Structure formats: structure tokens, C-alpha cells
Amino acid sequence: MTQNEKLAELSAAGVAVWLDDLSRDRIRSGNLQSLVDDYCVVGVTTNPTIFAAAISGSDSYDDQVHAMAVRKVSVDEALRTITAADVRDACDLLAPVAQRTGRDGRVSLEVSPGVAHDTDATAAEAAHLWWLVDRPNLYIKIPATQEGLAAITTSIARGISVNVTLIFSPERYRAVMDAYLSGLEERLQAGGSLDGIESVASFFVSRVDTEIDKRLDEAGADPSLKGKAAVANARLAYQAYEEVFSCDRWRALEAQGAKPQRPLWASTGVKNQDYPDTLYVSDLIAPDTVNTMPEKTLKAYADHGRPGTPIPQTYDEAAQVMKAVADAGVDLDDVFKVVEDEGVRKFAASWDELTKSVRSQLEDRK
């Protein structure tokens, strides 16, 4: 097994390389296994958009859909059965990685985006999906909406490992870390064990540049500010991570066996083709982080990626960038609200598309 040198170097710097994609074809063809073997991939993330593309673009689901059609299962049940099957198989494929690393080898499955603003429904669905997939190396993805925070605490307290998604601001990220620690504390108070509980916090990157660049253009700001805010914002999030996971509250939990909630850089495919295609990998290197990449970005870094300055050496520069963006007239609080709302909306639209696709397939195969 010969692993890609550039990705191996990234892994050695403390960055866990994950793939931001999953499909039945990818599992069955051996593609996912080859990415694990050759490209240092140690985890997988999914979302409604990924599943919509996977199911609509393949006939690998036909037999399973037909079996459910003749049983007259509901669309929601069919959807969950299909996605849970793929995630379960991916968990099994990555089980050796989980055993070897103790923290990676994880696969993420998201609660329905339609319940992102309903705390009780989010927590209930998280528990159902955890039961349905039934693998210790699973993550349940819960959006970091205001309503999602309490569901994160509840899920962690129940012993469910959580990937908190759609985080855009350091302020919201601090609330996410607080929700995680509160869940661990509640579990201990109830006499539970912290063994096996893991969490990552998915901090979104490229979408922040897309929104801020647009506003910088509208404000007639210095063009040299463009393409810098997303990286700076993520670097300040890592600074917050270092603060929280060195405080006394955390040390008390760590002494009880708790594992830190690692920052995960999400949305790392570059959307502006003027920027280097490895920008959101090269400039976000730090110990105890995860970078989940589309295959195109993964292969780009494997081919020509170069490590940038490690995050802990960049805090002053990052703060200056965000101040300059704000001074140029960009309302950062509004940016973060807009991209969070847009993120929930996009995933909800993908979920609706997925639901329609599965419904039509069920009807076709009756």
C-alpha cells in the first residue's frame, strides 16, 4: 500500500483527511477502499445533496427500491432505509480505520433538514438514526441552528456521537462547544460512561468567501481583501477551540475520559476558480482538525498541494483581515445569518428533491 506523500504529510500535521461524498457505487466498485488505502482517507461525510446525486444517478438502488415498493413502505421510511444502508456499509468498510485510530473511521448521516428549527424533532430523529444504523463509528449530523444546540446536548447526553454541521461564525462555534460539554456533563451526572463518544464541529469555509466577496464588490472595497475572509474566520474558530479545550471545565471532563470535539473544515471545494484549488486545505492546517474534501479537491491536493502556515501562527493576521472586512462596510453578523439560513434551505431543497426521486421510483416499481 503506497499512500500519497502530500496527503500523508497533511495527516502527519494532525489533519484527518475525510471524503465529502458517498454512494453505493463508490462502495461497491472499491473506489472508497482505494481512497482509504492510497489517499489517506479516514472518514466520510454525507448530506442530503450528496445522497440526491447518488440515488438519482445510479441503478444500484433499483433492487432495494423495488423490494420496498412491493412492501408498500412510505417514502420517508424508504429514504431512511436506503441512506442508512449506504452509511452502515461505509461504517463497516471504515471499521479497521476506527480500530486503528480510535477516533476516525467515522461516517456521518444527517437528520432531516426539515427539522433544523425544531429541537425535539431533531433530537428524536438523531436517536432513531443512531439506532437504525447501529454502528459505533457513526456520526449523526445535527445543524448548529439556535434550536439545534439543545438537541446536540441531548444527543451527547444519550451517548450519541455527533457531527455538528452548518457552523459559520466563531461565536456560534463557541455555543456549539458549550452544547457538547453540557451534554458530556449531563451524561456523567446521570451515571453514564463517556467511552466511545466522539464529536466534530463542521465549520463551513468556502460559502463565507462567496458571500463576503459579493458584499466587498458591492461596497467598492479594496479587491485585495477578497478570498481572505473564509480562511481568517476559520482560523479564529480554531483559536476559540484552543481556548475552550484548555480551560478548567474541559480538564475536568477530560479526566473522566472525554474526547475533545475536533474542528472539521467543511465546504472546502473552491467555488471561485480564480483562487487556488487547494486554498481551503493548505491554509487550514493544525493539529486535531479534520478536513472533509470533495474528491476533486482531495485529488488536487494529492497532486500539487503545499502546506501553508500552520493556523496557530496566524491569529493576529486573521483578526486583522476580519477587522478590515468589517471596516469596509460588511456586516459580518448578517453574513453569518444569511449563509446559515441559505445552508439549511439548500439542504432542505436537496432533501425534497431526494424525496421526489424516491417517491417516483417507488411508484414506478410497484
Side-chain angles (χ1 to χ4, degrees):
M1 184 172 72
T2 307
Q3 293 205 313
N4 178 271
E5 286 185 15
K6 293 183 182 297
L7 291 168
E9 181 183 28
L10 193 65
S11 301
V15 181
V17 176
W18 288 14
L19 177 71
D20 191 26
D21 193 46
L22 185 65
S23 68
R24 196 158 294 182
D25 290 342
R26 198 183 273 285
I27 296 168
R28 289 180 175 177
S29 67
N31 169 269
L32 181 56
Q33 186 64 59
S34 72
L35 292 175
V36 171
D37 293 341
D38 303 333
Y39 288 88
C40 303
V41 168
V42 293
V44 172
T45 48
T46 69
N47 61 48
T49 304
I50 284 169
F51 276 124
I55 294 171
S56 64
S58 169
D59 57 9
S60 295
Y61 298 90
D62 289 358
D63 290 347
Q64 188 179 21
V65 171
H66 175 71
M68 288 187 288
V70 296
R71 287 172 46 226
K72 297 182 170 54
V73 303
S74 70
V75 176
D76 286 347
E77 185 185 346
L79 201 50
R80 278 312 183 196
T81 302
I82 291 167
T83 55
D86 281 2
V87 168
R88 189 182 302 116
D89 288 346
C91 282
D92 289 345
L93 188 153
L94 285 162
V97 175
Q99 288 160 7
R100 185 180 81 241
T101 63
R103 66 191 323 194
D104 285 304
R106 297 263 175 170
V107 185
S108 299
L109 179 59
E110 188 158 349
V111 298
S112 166
V115 299
H117 297 293
D118 185 329
T119 300
D120 291 343
T122 295
E125 188 170 358
H128 176 67
L129 294 178
W130 184 255
W131 166 83
L132 184 62
V133 176
D134 192 27
R135 293 294 184 271
N137 54 327
L138 172 69
Y139 272 130
I140 300 299
K141 282 177 94 170
I142 296 177
T145 56
Q146 200 62 51
E147 298 85 355
L149 295 171
I152 292 159
T153 296
T154 297
S155 299
I156 293 294
R158 289 173 173 168
I160 296 169
S161 292
V162 174
N163 174 347
V164 184
T165 188
L166 291 174
I167 308 169
F168 294 96
S169 71
E171 181 184 28
R172 181 59 58 85
Y173 177 39
R174 286 182 183 275
V176 166
M177 290 187 282
D178 179 71
Y180 174 60
L181 299 188
S182 296
L184 295 173
E185 288 162 349
E186 283 186 19
R187 186 161 176 82
L188 284 174
Q189 286 162 10
S193 165
L194 303 185
D195 285 354
I197 299 177
E198 287 276 351
S199 185
V200 290
S202 294
F203 198 92
F204 278 55
V205 188
S206 65
R207 295 184 191 188
V208 171
D209 266 345
T210 301
E211 184 65 24
I212 287 180
D213 284 358
K214 180 180 75 176
R215 296 186 186 213
L216 288 169
D217 281 341
E218 290 168 354
D222 181 349
S224 69
L225 276 176
K226 290 170 67 176
K228 293 183 176 175
V231 164
N233 192 48
R235 287 170 167 175
L236 294 178
Y238 189 79
Q239 185 178 33
Y241 161 79
E242 287 198 313
E243 288 174 14
V244 171
F245 288 96
S246 59
C247 71
D248 290 345
R249 181 186 180 194
W250 165 248
R251 294 293 177 214
L253 287 164
E254 188 179 39
Q256 297 293 319
K259 302 281 178 56
Q261 180 189 55
R262 290 180 291 169
L264 179 153
W265 311 125
S267 184
T268 56
V270 172
K271 291 182 169 56
N272 185 331
Q273 300 312 307
D274 294 338
Y275 301 155
D277 55 1
T278 60
L279 174 65
Y280 303 128
V281 183
S282 298
D283 285 3
L284 293 176
I285 296 175
D288 292 320
T289 57
V290 178
N291 196 309
T292 185
M293 310 174 210
E295 187 173 9
K296 183 179 176 184
T297 305
L298 180 79
K299 294 284 181 72
Y301 195 90
D303 179 65
H304 52 265
R306 298 170 64 89
T309 306
I311 291 177
Q313 298 171 30
T314 64
Y315 296 145
D316 289 346
E317 177 193 342
Q320 287 166 8
V321 166
M322 296 311 284
K323 181 178 185 302
V325 168
D327 289 347
V330 175
D331 182 341
L332 291 172
D333 287 341
D334 187 63
V335 165
F336 298 139
K337 181 181 186 307
V338 165
V339 289
E340 178 186 299
D341 290 346
E342 185 183 78
V344 172
R345 199 163 55 246
K346 281 184 175 176
F347 281 161
S350 294
W351 190 259
D352 290 344
E353 179 190 327
L354 187 53
T355 301
K356 285 177 190 167
S357 173
V358 171
R359 179 181 289 116
S360 66
Q361 289 182 54
L362 285 171
E363 289 169 354
D364 290 345
R365 288 170 177 78
K366 280 182 181 173

